[in-house]
Amino acid sequence: MKNEKKILLLCGKESIKKNGVLEQIRKALQDKEVIEFFGIEQNPDIETCMKALEIARKENIEFILAAGGGSVIDAAKYIALAFYYEKKDPWQILLKNETEPNRVLPFGCIQTVPGSGTEFNNAFVLSNRSKKLKISFYSHKLYPRFSVLDPETTFTLSQKQTAFGIVDMFVHVLEQYITWPRKAPLQDRLGEALLVTIKEIAHDLLANPNDYELRATSMWCAAQAASGQLSRGVPTDWATHFIGHEITALYDLTHAQTLALILGGVWEWNFEYKKKMLAQYANRVWGMVGDEDLLAKMAIIETDNFFESLGVPTRFSSLSLDAKKVAADVISNLSKREFTPLGENRSININAIKEIILSRS
Ligand code: ZN
């Protein structure tokens, strides 16, 4: 960012005004020309991103600084990608109808809502509310130039935001860990280190939101969980995220909330297949002992209990949602487009998604 003069400062709504980040940024960028864009919403929408993109192009922006949570950073990645795209509708790149441009606008991140881990990777998720879509995308060009993680900026997060962040980072690890036995002991242990650490600090963090060390640990766990190192050379699942995105697109539920609703259902659906890793997880992370079947079943119950203990429900009825209607809406939305079965063994077809949602009513 040293050489770039014209910066687009991309922000959410209010939080960076409250936590002092905006003031710090304005001071640090005194010698730059900074265009501020406020209003990136949770689950960033293509419409808002297109407004920011238009400004970025009109102002000949040279660098994007994203300050806020994962939504703001994801929006920055999309704008960076779309900036040099010459045709009319850059949404087409996400649908893989068009090849992506050869270059992207450089960007940096100031992450203030730990959870998504997007500050440490090359992926983003974008919503298109008018089409009821939420699509993930990644490109090797989309790594941030830098990411600033300052635990003090997270002191103002609410209990709910903190709990959602914990659930999101926890599930990120699990999506890369509960698969078939992989004979990859280091990846196993790296995942377990994160899971145990997150589990150990979670309740303390909710009780002590201004504790610097706890905030720092949570921030570092979130970044590590989604950095890509856990998935090197091993299969990954991500079915829970895919189904969760569909539910968010239809019901505008918070991302982490959808994960807590779905994860146990995916595990039950693929129980025989994932049994060994579920049992290992129950033993090494939750300290349980017993035979494999029992341990694997207890892993599902214990994980649900953990999310519930953070105040994040794991059943649709707790949110006054009818699972039958959710399942029907998701299936109808999915049947309108191309769909590849999900999960590390590609066993989750459209009917399985229906069963998974119904099992969590
Ligand atoms: Zn996530």
Side-chain angles (χ1 to χ4, degrees), residues 115-116 168 172 238 241 245 255 259:
S116 66
D168 197 16
H172 288 162
W238 298 112
H241 268 71
H245 290 337
H255 170 61
L259 305 179

Side-chain angles (χ1 to χ4, degrees), residues 26-325:
R26 283 179 176 160
K27 213 169 159 194
L29 299 183
Q30 267 170 350
D31 61 334
K32 309 270 186 197
E33 192 178 335
V34 181
I35 315 284
E36 295 178 1
F37 184 96
F38 279 87
I40 300 293
E41 61 276 86
Q42 230 191 68
N43 302 310
D45 196 87
I46 178 75
E47 225 175 273
T48 316
C49 290
M50 289 305 284
K51 285 180 195 156
L53 174 64
E54 204 181 309
I55 293 170
R57 283 176 173 163
K58 206 172 104 206
E59 297 286 344
N60 291 318
I61 289 297
E62 296 167 291
F63 192 95
I64 306 173
L65 181 60
S71 297
V72 178
I73 296 171
D74 277 11
K77 289 180 179 177
Y78 173 72
I79 297 161
L81 177 75
F83 189 81
Y84 292 110
Y85 181 73
E86 282 164 3
K87 293 182 194 163
K88 210 176 160 210
D89 181 11
W91 174 258
Q92 296 300 321
I93 315 170
L94 272 61
L95 300 177
K96 316 253 170 35
N97 290 342
E98 296 283 347
T99 42
E100 52 186 287
N102 288 328
R103 59 193 287 225
V104 305
L105 203 60
F107 64 97
C109 314
I110 300 173
Q111 173 60 283
T112 62
V113 190
S116 66
T118 184
E119 68 276 16
F120 259 45
N121 66 38
N122 59 342
F124 68 87
V125 192
L126 197 69
S127 293
N128 188 327
R129 285 174 175 77
S130 68
K131 291 192 166 78
K132 295 197 184 309
L133 289 173
K134 186 175 177 186
I135 289 183
S136 57
F137 186 87
Y138 66 91
S139 162
H140 68 277
K141 300 183 197 99
L142 285 176
Y143 284 100
R145 283 274 182 91
F146 61 82
S147 284
V148 177
L149 307 177
D150 175 0
E152 283 185 17
T153 65
T154 68
F155 287 180
T156 50
L157 291 178
S158 69
Q159 287 257 319
K160 201 86 203 166
Q161 284 172 309
T162 306
F164 281 146
I166 294 167
V167 170
D168 197 16
M169 62 182 92
F170 203 72
V171 178
H172 288 162
V173 181
L174 292 168
E175 294 255 42
Q176 302 167 82
Y177 172 81
I178 303 289
T179 57
W180 67 72
R182 309 97 57 93
K183 294 188 182 154
L186 178 61
Q187 286 90 326
D188 283 6
R189 290 294 187 190
L190 287 172
E192 287 151 10
L194 283 164
L195 293 167
V196 169
T197 308
I198 297 165
K199 176 199 101 173
E200 280 177 358
I201 61 159
H203 294 103
D204 271 359
L205 180 59
L206 290 180
N208 304 288
N210 291 341
D211 185 303
Y212 184 93
E213 275 76 25
L214 291 171
R215 286 289 190 193
T217 304
S218 131
M219 213 167 199
W220 195 230
C221 285
Q224 294 294 325
S227 69
Q229 65 163 343
L230 302 181
S231 59
R232 293 285 173 262
V234 295
T236 55
D237 185 341
W238 298 112
T240 299
H241 268 71
F242 183 97
I243 302 169
H245 290 337
E246 294 300 313
I247 296 168
T248 294
L250 289 160
Y251 291 88
D252 222 12
L253 286 187
T254 305
H255 170 61
Q257 175 58 78
T258 66
L259 305 179
L261 287 171
I262 294 301
L263 183 70
V266 167
W267 286 353
E268 268 162 20
W269 174 265
N270 257 332
F271 187 77
E272 285 304 317
Y273 197 77
K274 290 178 179 288
K275 200 160 69 176
K276 269 204 159 36
M277 287 305 287
L278 280 168
Q280 179 176 306
Y281 158 66
N283 174 255
R284 294 187 183 175
V285 175
W286 295 103
M288 294 173 180
V289 285
D291 68 51
E292 194 175 275
D293 258 71
L294 179 72
L295 282 177
K297 280 180 192 150
M298 289 305 293
I300 301 176
I301 296 168
E302 198 62 33
T303 307
D304 279 346
N305 288 346
F306 176 53
F307 295 156
E308 295 273 354
S309 75
L310 303 172
V312 181
T314 59
R315 295 295 186 277
F316 284 97
S317 54
S318 309
L319 299 167
S320 305
L321 284 171
D322 175 8
K324 272 193 200 147
K325 187 178 175 333

